[in-house]
Amino acid sequence: MSTSLQKVPCTIVTGFLGAGKTTLIRHLLENPGGRRLAVIVNEFGDIGMDAEILRGCGIAACAEADIVELANGCICCTVADDFVPTLDKLLARDPRPDHILIETSGLALPKPLVQAFLWPAIKGRVTVDGVIAVVDGAALAEGRVAHDEAALAAQRAADPALDHDDPVEEVFEDQVACADLIVLTKADLLDDAALARARASLAAALAPALPRTVGVLEAREGRIAPALLLGLGLATEAEIEGRRTHHDNEEDHDHEDFDSVVLKLPEVTDANALARRVAAVCAVPGVLRAKGFGAVQGKPMRLLVQAVGQRVGHHFDRPWAPGEARTGHLVVLGLHGFDAAAVAEALAAA
């Protein structure tokens, strides 16, 4: 073990949109192994859906105050303004957390965040236990890094003036380049042949980026033994400079290739009908994913809906609180310039 006993270990969970980061973190919260866990969730968009999902987990050991949301921009861009003060507050608690989980937005680059652990203000108090990259096995089996990249490919093919380097691919490659472990999700959706294709696709992406060996774990419904993910003691910050990424020579970066819109969801009569409406939203060109909450008439529980492409999942996650307005909303994330009006029309018309 290379970490100090005086330092609080932090696990950084990175991964592209819809890969399954929140599901994985919820599983860790359900199986803390006696640890006091805290979670920092970095959102991209106007409403923090992932933090809300975790707060509604219903886990007795998971207090709402232990889920901290950073919604002021990508964590790798605002690490000084947002992340460090939040870390200070968590470390000031008595008792302080035994372990901190950090869920980055799908757009974040891990390297700047890991480098922040070397800053004098925090380096004596925390360490990076490990960086876990969560990748979408179902998408990789089809030769993509995310479920819906067709809109991006079509946009680039139609405009020869655009740079042919795919920013989505670069984000993916930078995330796996910084990983200590890779979790290949949705393995339960794949047969042996598809799983072999997913692993081959991942290996091809890793080959130019990683001169070192990185373990790949398969997750089914987000479930992996926590002992494989927590307590690694790697102190990744000590050797992060050796992990080469696309952005190593850049002063900073932005995420102008992505936009988000928030739509209200009125109470519905049928959960499956709402799922069909969300699927119609994700069929709009340029939309990458959607996530939100809604109310179903006659049901005391809040309905959680998550979608990537035409894969839509929904379940009741928690009771509506007394006096809480039974009004839902849907956060839609897509490529820069996607047609928000078409998204609203699809939600209303389906």
Side-chain angles (χ1 to χ4, degrees):
M1 300 284 286
S2 57
T3 58
S4 166
L5 294 176
Q6 302 303 313
K7 296 182 180 182
V8 175
C10 301
T11 296
I12 297 173
V13 182
T14 188
F16 200 68
L17 305 170
K21 300 187 301 295
T22 305
T23 302
L24 182 69
I25 288 177
R26 176 168 178 161
H27 177 64
L28 293 175
L29 291 174
E30 290 172 338
N31 301 275
R35 300 178 179 89
R36 291 188 301 273
L37 297 178
V39 185
I40 298 175
V41 180
N42 179 215
E43 302 283 10
F44 186 83
D46 297 321
I47 294 180
M49 296 303 306
D50 290 346
E52 275 296 307
I53 292 170
L54 293 172
R55 290 189 184 112
C57 64
I59 302 168
C62 177
E64 183 169 327
D66 292 330
I67 311 295
V68 182
E69 175 190 343
L70 300 182
N72 294 327
C74 171
I75 194 171
C76 60
C77 302
T78 62
V79 64
D81 296 332
D82 298 319
F83 170 65
V84 174
T86 298
L87 202 57
D88 285 339
K89 292 179 181 177
L90 285 177
L91 295 175
R93 291 185 180 179
D94 186 15
R96 69 181 185 177
D98 296 319
H99 200 112
I100 299 173
L101 306 174
I102 304 168
E103 178 188 353
T104 73
S105 77
L107 309 174
L109 306 175
K111 191 167 185 176
L113 177 58
V114 176
Q115 289 170 323
F117 281 74
L118 294 171
W119 292 1
I122 60 174
K123 70 176 183 179
R125 298 183 290 156
V126 289
T127 183
V128 180
D129 188 61
V131 177
I132 298 171
V134 181
V135 301
D136 188 327
L140 286 173
E142 298 173 355
R144 298 171 297 180
V145 299
H147 180 69
D148 187 3
E149 290 190 279
L152 180 58
Q155 179 188 28
R156 295 204 172 278
D159 188 351
L162 289 174
D163 185 345
H164 290 289
D165 288 334
D166 185 342
V168 176
E169 293 285 346
E170 288 187 6
V171 170
F172 176 78
E173 290 170 4
D174 280 7
Q175 289 174 347
V176 298
C178 290
D180 295 301
L181 279 174
I182 294 174
V183 173
L184 191 149
T185 62
K186 305 171 187 175
D188 50 305
L189 303 179
L190 307 177
D191 58 22
D192 290 344
L195 189 57
R197 291 196 304 272
R199 280 186 164 272
S201 181
L202 180 59
L206 289 172
L210 295 177
R212 56 199 170 84
T213 300
V214 175
V216 179
L217 306 174
E218 296 173 10
R220 287 165 172 78
E221 298 180 352
R223 293 182 173 88
I224 287 183
L228 298 176
L229 304 178
L230 304 181
L232 303 180
L234 296 177
T236 305
E237 68 273 16
E239 52 92 31
I240 188 62
E241 293 300 332
R243 303 186 186 186
R244 307 304 299 167
T245 71
H246 290 283
H247 296 83
D248 285 345
N249 298 320
E250 296 182 7
E251 293 276 329
D252 52 28
H253 67 282
D254 57 40
H255 298 302
E256 293 180 356
D257 290 307
F258 302 92
D259 286 335
S260 64
V261 63
V262 181
L263 304 173
K264 291 185 177 179
L265 287 179
E267 193 169 38
V268 299
T269 58
D270 179 61
N272 292 322
L274 177 59
R276 289 192 293 271
R277 292 167 62 187
V278 174
V281 165
C282 288
V284 174
V287 171
L288 295 173
R289 74 175 307 194
K291 182 183 291 190
F293 298 107
V296 180
Q297 291 180 12
K299 301 293 185 181
M301 302 283 286
R302 188 177 68 172
L303 183 73
L304 166 65
V305 182
Q306 301 187 74
V308 180
Q310 295 304 292
R311 294 204 306 266
V312 183
H314 61 86
H315 66 271
F316 292 102
D317 72 323
R318 68 161 175 82
W320 290 97
E324 183 179 7
R326 290 171 60 92
T327 302
H329 51 255
L330 185 73
V331 178
V332 181
L333 184 62
L335 300 170
H336 178 60
F338 76 84
D339 193 337
V343 166
E345 290 174 5
L347 185 64

